[in-house]
Amino acid sequence: NIHVASHPGYALIGGGTDLDEAFVWLCRRSGGGDFLVIRASGSDAYNPYVQSLCHVSSAATLIIPSRDAANDPFVARTISAAAAIFIAGGDQANYINFWRDTPVQRALNDAIHRGIPIGGTSAGLAVLGEFTYSAQGDTANGPNLDSPAALANPFNPQVVIVRGFLRIPELRDLITDTHFHARGRLGRSVVFMARILASGDVKKIHAIGIDPHTAFLVDRGGQGVVAGTGAAYFFEAAGPPAVCRPGTPLTFNGISVRKLVAGEKFNVSKWAGEGVGYTLSAVSGVLHSTQASGAIY
């Protein structure tokens, strides 16, 4: 309940073991105020972790496990008082099912508008872009969506994309994915981009895929830097896919890629930066790369 001067910024964390550097970055931007973790299930284990890293007024966890909970006035008041907000991992389907169109969504977007720093890991990262792979089809249709299944059928029932849960200006026209190289998720991210372009909602789509124990730390204005032990991948496509139909493998050309590692910088507002550049295409559901080795990562 103290008043501090927070500084806006966004910590996009790929999942896996928590990255100290990303939490310290968020804490510094909190101005030493109240650091709030939100999640739909789990424990308050982040509280002592944050307190061990940071000099903040308080560290607290708010578990919001249902729509009834999301409508409790205490929840919106607590989010509104936070000087930094972190969305934990878990299941992003719960975040969409429980929090969308409730005071939680409104309080989060108000915090973004006011310049409160916000971060997320794994499922928490998945909901930060304008477009979200919601995982709402996973439970009914089997295990988590993988790249081969998505590329073979871009209209697989598990390809569920939600728009506008959060409104971060620097992450407009963008979808994120997590645990990226470790779980082979590049192919499904290409499908997400294809589906968004095929819908006609936007003329250009961006995507960011982040490895475990890796983060992309973004200032307001769009300048960011990669931290951690893995890589972050930045994708852009400006033309619709050649073939994107139900039950038919995807064909989609001209996807530009930048691969960055720790210390390298990228500006998401200008969509330009350091790292290794190459081009991807999907031909009848098979990915091809212009890298000399042919590697898609």
Side-chain angles (χ1 to χ4, degrees), residues 37-122:
V37 177
I38 63 171
R39 58 198 314 168
S41 61
S43 71
D44 62 358
Y46 272 112
N47 296 1
Y49 171 69
V50 171
Q51 290 169 329
S52 72
L53 290 173
C54 305
H55 298 289
V56 292
S57 175
S58 71
T61 296
L62 187 60
I63 300 174
I64 314 166
S66 67
R67 293 188 70 81
D68 284 344
N71 282 287
D72 188 320
F74 172 80
V75 168
R77 287 199 306 269
T78 303
I79 294 172
S80 297
I85 298 169
F86 179 75
I87 307 175
D91 183 348
Q92 64 258 38
N94 289 333
Y95 298 162
I96 300 299
N97 291 333
F98 300 161
W99 303 350
R100 186 169 57 165
D101 299 324
T102 73
V104 170
Q105 182 182 16
R106 293 190 288 274
L108 288 172
N109 280 300
D110 179 65
I112 293 164
H113 180 72
R114 290 185 288 110
I116 301 301
I118 186 167
T121 188
S122 193

Side-chain angles (χ1 to χ4, degrees), residues 4-35:
V4 298
S6 294
H7 301 283
Y10 313 102
L12 285 63
I13 308 172
T17 307
D18 290 310
L19 182 63
D20 295 355
E21 184 176 346
F23 281 85
V24 170
W25 187 87
L26 279 173
C27 289
R28 287 174 178 163
R29 290 178 172 270
S30 77
D34 300 317
F35 190 107

